[in-house]
Every structure is written in structure tokens, then in C-alpha cells.
Amino acid sequence: MNNSDLTKLIDKFLPEVISFRRRMHEEPDLSGREQPTCARIAEMLDARGIGYERLLDGTALSVRIGRGAARAVAIRADIDALPVSEATGLSFASRRPGVMHACGHDIHAACALGAAFALKEMERDLEGGVTILFQPAEETTGGAERMIRAGVLEFPRVTHVIGLHVDPSLEAGRASFMYGKMHAASDEFTIVFTGRGCHGAHPDEGCDAIAAAALFVTAVQNVVSRALSPLEPGVVTIGSIHGGTKGNIIADSVEVTGIMRSLDEKTRKLLRRRVEETAVHTAASLGARAGFILRPSYTALINDDETVSLLVSAARGAIGDEKVVIKKKPTMGTEDFAYFAAARPSCFYELGCGFSERDENPPLHSAGFEADEKCIKTGILLQTSGALALLKNN
């Protein structure tokens, strides 16, 4: 099917998809509670005879198109909302206090649902299968990894995975792609500095945990500036310090928390080791102790260059060269699509959703975030044409 015919096909069901998106926006579900959202998606799929499987206690769906195919490509859409009180004034604003689709996952779901509708229409002519994944918990515990463990990339075996994320800084109708490293890996840490409390007038009788923590906060800045290559990004951020009870008491314990961000496993391991070493040694230099607790989070998202090239070519054919942007710099933010990218050659890209007539669009995760719904048609077109290009190349 050529892009003109595909656009006409999408136009037939676009109002239905936009209506679905608005209802999803009105009734957002937080991570781990996506069962109602999945039920609404299932209703839409049932109406068109599209088969699916419920997963992860009903918080996820795996849709299969092109039954009998030995190989498939996958399209992933995250569906959870954020604990944000909406302040957009939209006629279809969230009706659930303190919960909002402030990251645009309702748009992601609408694009994937539209792609399912389009691909079902051309199912007999597909050169393989398509698996469409509606994934929970991107914002919290990471639903991607659990879906992979549940077997969504097998039977049929998925060869490539496509994902997108809305970007309000890019106007609707445009899309941006990036080769290689795109999103960072993240590690959270807690360090408890333990000293010995005493009266503040007699510091020699104790061991000041606050002094140990303060020395660490200063020293740890050298990890990025001196242990990493200037050409390899890394971040160490101290986010909280808690300790002490009164101005005239030497504190016996201080808790420090922070994050580390990196774009490859070598840098990630180095940051973990050096941050812990810095804590232990700076504490020891003052006679204190440091207990280091690491909480690994998402891995780095690294796109497959060949897959990106195929999708860039498909996107240029679908929406025009002038509307396709190639990004040069990665972000140190995280994205759990990284687990799909680690499991299969993948392409994660950004879908413009900003209003061109506005001087500034509110950012993601803000109470005023709003997406120009023109992006939904573009997203359906890109996801569908991308999947077709990958199937043809398989």
C-alpha cells in the first residue's frame, strides 16, 4: 500500500481513534492500575475482530496481527499516567483528581491503536506478523522488562521493535530520529554516614557525620570531572541530605540520596564503583563509616543504526524530508523502551506534538502539558509505514 492510500485509510477511522484518546485522557490510570485502560483498548480491538492477549494481571495487552507468521515486528506504546493535577482547561481534561496523562501516553496508545486498525485492514498482504504492545508502568517500575519476561517477543519471534514518544518542543506533523545512544541509564543510591554523637562544644569527643557527608558531596563532583573522559557524558546528582537534630549536637548519622546517569555500561560501572569508593574513603578519613546502597534503574536506550535508517527512510516517504529531523545529542533522561532496544534491534523516536501557533508549549510532566491532536494522524502513519518497511526488509 502506498502512502497516499495509507493516509486515506487512516482518515476513515481517525475520528474514532481521537475519541478514544480523549476518553483515555479523561480517565487516566496510574502505573500498576492500568486495567480499565486495557479494558477500553480491548473493546476497540473486539469491535474490529483484532486478537489480543491480556498480560501482567490485566495491566498490559499484546496484540497479534498476521496470524501464522513465523516472524514479526513490534510496535510498543506505554499507557500509564502520572500523579499530576491537570491544569489545561481542556473539555476532556482528567476527571480523576491528582492523575493526568502529563507525559502523553494517551497519544502513544492512540497511535498504536490506529496502527493496529490500519494493519488489520491490510493483514492478508502483510509480509509477516505485527505485534502491538500496550505496556504498563513506564513511569515507575518498568513494564517493558516484565513484558519481555512474559514472552511478548516470541511466538512469533519479534525481529525489531518500534517506539515513539511525544515531544512538545517539536511541532505536530514533524518527527525526530536519533542514531545510537539516545537515553541514559539510571542508578539511584543512598549513603548512610555513621559517626558518633556528642555535644557540639566538644567535637573532639565525637565523630561528625555531617562533616563526613559534606566532604563527600564536595569530593564526589570530581568523579565526573576527573574520572570520566570529557567526551563521555555522565551525571552524579545529590538530591537530598538528612541528618542532625539540633544546632549544638554533633550528628551521629546522615543520609544522602542521589542519582547517577550514564550512556553505556562501562561508564555506568565506573560511576557506581567510584561513587561508593568516594563515600567510603571520605568517611574513613574523618573516622566515620559509610554504607552504600545501590538501586539500579533503567538501562541505557541505544538505537540500532540500521533500524533507524529504515524508519527514517519510511518517515521521509510518509511525511516529507522537511518534516524529519535527525537529532545529534542524547538526553540524560531515562526511558524503559531501553529493554526492548537491548533485546532486539530497535528504533525509538520522537513525535512532534507542539502547537505551531504558540510561542511556547508547556513541557512534559507539567500540569499544563497539552498535545496538538494533529500529531495522532502523523504517529499512526509513521508507526504503520515503519512496520511495513521493517517487514519488507526482514
Side-chain angles (χ1 to χ4, degrees), residues 205-385:
E205 296 178 0
C207 179
D208 193 343
I210 287 180
L215 183 60
F216 164 76
V217 171
T218 301
V220 79
Q221 305 308 314
N222 290 320
V223 172
V224 171
S225 66
R226 290 296 175 265
L228 295 186
S229 164
L231 303 178
E232 187 59 55
V235 174
V236 177
T237 294
I238 304 302
S240 73
I241 302 177
H242 299 283
T245 56
K246 196 174 180 182
N248 66 345
I249 301 175
I250 297 293
D252 62 359
S253 180
V254 174
E255 181 182 271
V256 175
T257 67
I259 61 166
M260 296 176 278
R261 296 287 170 94
S262 53
L263 288 170
D264 61 53
E265 280 302 307
K266 181 181 178 181
T267 302
R268 191 179 194 184
K269 290 177 182 177
L270 185 148
L271 287 178
R272 289 174 173 177
R273 176 170 56 83
R274 292 300 294 271
V275 170
E276 181 175 9
E277 289 175 347
T278 302
V280 171
H281 295 319
T282 53
S285 71
L286 296 179
R289 291 178 287 113
F292 182 83
I293 302 169
L294 179 72
R295 293 184 300 281
S297 185
Y298 299 162
T299 189
L301 195 168
I302 304 175
N303 279 327
D304 175 68
D305 287 353
E306 183 179 351
T307 306
V308 173
S309 290
L310 285 168
L311 262 71
V312 166
S313 179
R316 285 174 171 158
I319 62 176
D321 287 354
E322 72 284 358
K323 294 183 179 179
V324 176
V325 178
I326 305 300
K327 291 183 66 174
K328 300 298 183 184
K329 295 180 180 179
T331 173
M332 299 308 283
T334 61
E335 166 57 60
D336 88 334
F337 183 86
Y339 293 103
F340 289 116
R344 298 289 189 273
S346 298
C347 175
F348 190 74
Y349 63 96
E350 292 172 337
L351 177 71
C353 70
F355 292 85
S356 59
E357 65 273 16
R358 297 181 182 178
D359 292 333
E360 186 176 0
N361 286 278
L364 297 169
H365 286 223
S366 72
F369 167 71
E370 184 181 352
D372 185 340
E373 289 184 324
K374 294 175 185 175
C375 72
I376 295 176
K377 180 176 178 178
T378 304
I380 297 171
L381 183 59
L382 291 177
Q383 295 291 65
T384 306
S385 61

Side-chain angles (χ1 to χ4, degrees), residues 31-83:
S31 299
R33 306 175 190 174
E34 297 93 346
Q35 289 91 344
T37 292
C38 284
R40 289 191 293 274
I41 295 170
E43 287 177 9
M44 303 290 284
L45 297 171
D46 286 337
R48 290 180 174 268
I50 300 173
Y52 57 86
E53 180 182 4
R54 298 178 190 269
L55 301 167
L56 307 182
D57 297 321
T59 63
L61 293 173
S62 177
V63 179
R64 304 288 171 84
I65 295 171
R67 292 189 176 278
R71 297 160 70 83
V73 299
I75 296 171
R76 172 271 205 170
D78 39 10
I79 60 175
D80 53 327
L82 285 163

Side-chain angles (χ1 to χ4, degrees), residues 186-209:
S186 178
D187 292 304
E188 299 177 359
F189 61 86
T190 298
I191 304 168
V192 178
F193 291 90
T194 304
R196 186 171 64 257
C198 67
H199 197 291
H202 308 287
D204 56 305
E205 296 178 0
C207 179
D208 193 343

Side-chain angles (χ1 to χ4, degrees), residues 11-234:
D11 284 337
K12 290 181 181 179
F13 55 74
L14 186 60
E16 184 181 356
V17 173
I18 290 175
S19 177
F20 160 81
R21 178 260 166 167
R22 292 184 177 186
R23 184 183 174 194
M24 184 173 170
H25 192 88
E26 283 184 313
E27 302 174 3
D29 295 317
L30 290 171
S31 299
R33 306 175 190 174
E34 297 93 346
Q35 289 91 344
T37 292
C38 284
R40 289 191 293 274
I41 295 170
E43 287 177 9
M44 303 290 284
L45 297 171
D46 286 337
R48 290 180 174 268
I50 300 173
Y52 57 86
E53 180 182 4
R54 298 178 190 269
L55 301 167
L56 307 182
D57 297 321
T59 63
L61 293 173
S62 177
V63 179
R64 304 288 171 84
I65 295 171
R67 292 189 176 278
R71 297 160 70 83
V73 299
I75 296 171
R76 172 271 205 170
D78 39 10
I79 60 175
D80 53 327
L82 285 163
V84 174
S85 295
E86 183 161 354
T88 62
L90 290 169
S91 62
F92 52 91
S94 172
R95 294 192 281 106
R96 294 180 177 170
V99 185
M100 174 192 175
H101 273 295
C103 203
H105 293 185
D106 53 333
I107 298 290
H108 304 172
C111 293
L113 186 65
F117 289 176
L119 290 162
K120 183 64 176 178
E121 289 285 331
M122 58 184 81
E123 187 171 32
R124 292 182 180 178
D125 299 320
L126 293 179
E127 299 181 55
V130 180
T131 299
I132 299 178
L133 306 171
F134 293 95
Q135 178 214 303
E138 190 279 329
E139 298 289 357
T140 55
T141 57
E145 193 172 25
R146 287 186 288 135
M147 288 194 81
I148 292 170
R149 289 202 301 266
V152 297
L153 300 183
E154 307 296 341
F155 313 112
R157 179 172 174 78
V158 169
T159 59
H160 300 79
V161 187
I162 307 170
L164 62 75
H165 201 296
V166 291
D167 179 3
S169 70
L170 191 67
E171 69 180 57
R174 296 166 66 86
S176 65
F177 294 80
M178 185 162 186
Y179 290 88
K181 300 173 183 177
M182 185 173 180
H183 283 267
S186 178
D187 292 304
E188 299 177 359
F189 61 86
T190 298
I191 304 168
V192 178
F193 291 90
T194 304
R196 186 171 64 257
C198 67
H199 197 291
H202 308 287
D204 56 305
E205 296 178 0
C207 179
D208 193 343
I210 287 180
L215 183 60
F216 164 76
V217 171
T218 301
V220 79
Q221 305 308 314
N222 290 320
V223 172
V224 171
S225 66
R226 290 296 175 265
L228 295 186
S229 164
L231 303 178
E232 187 59 55

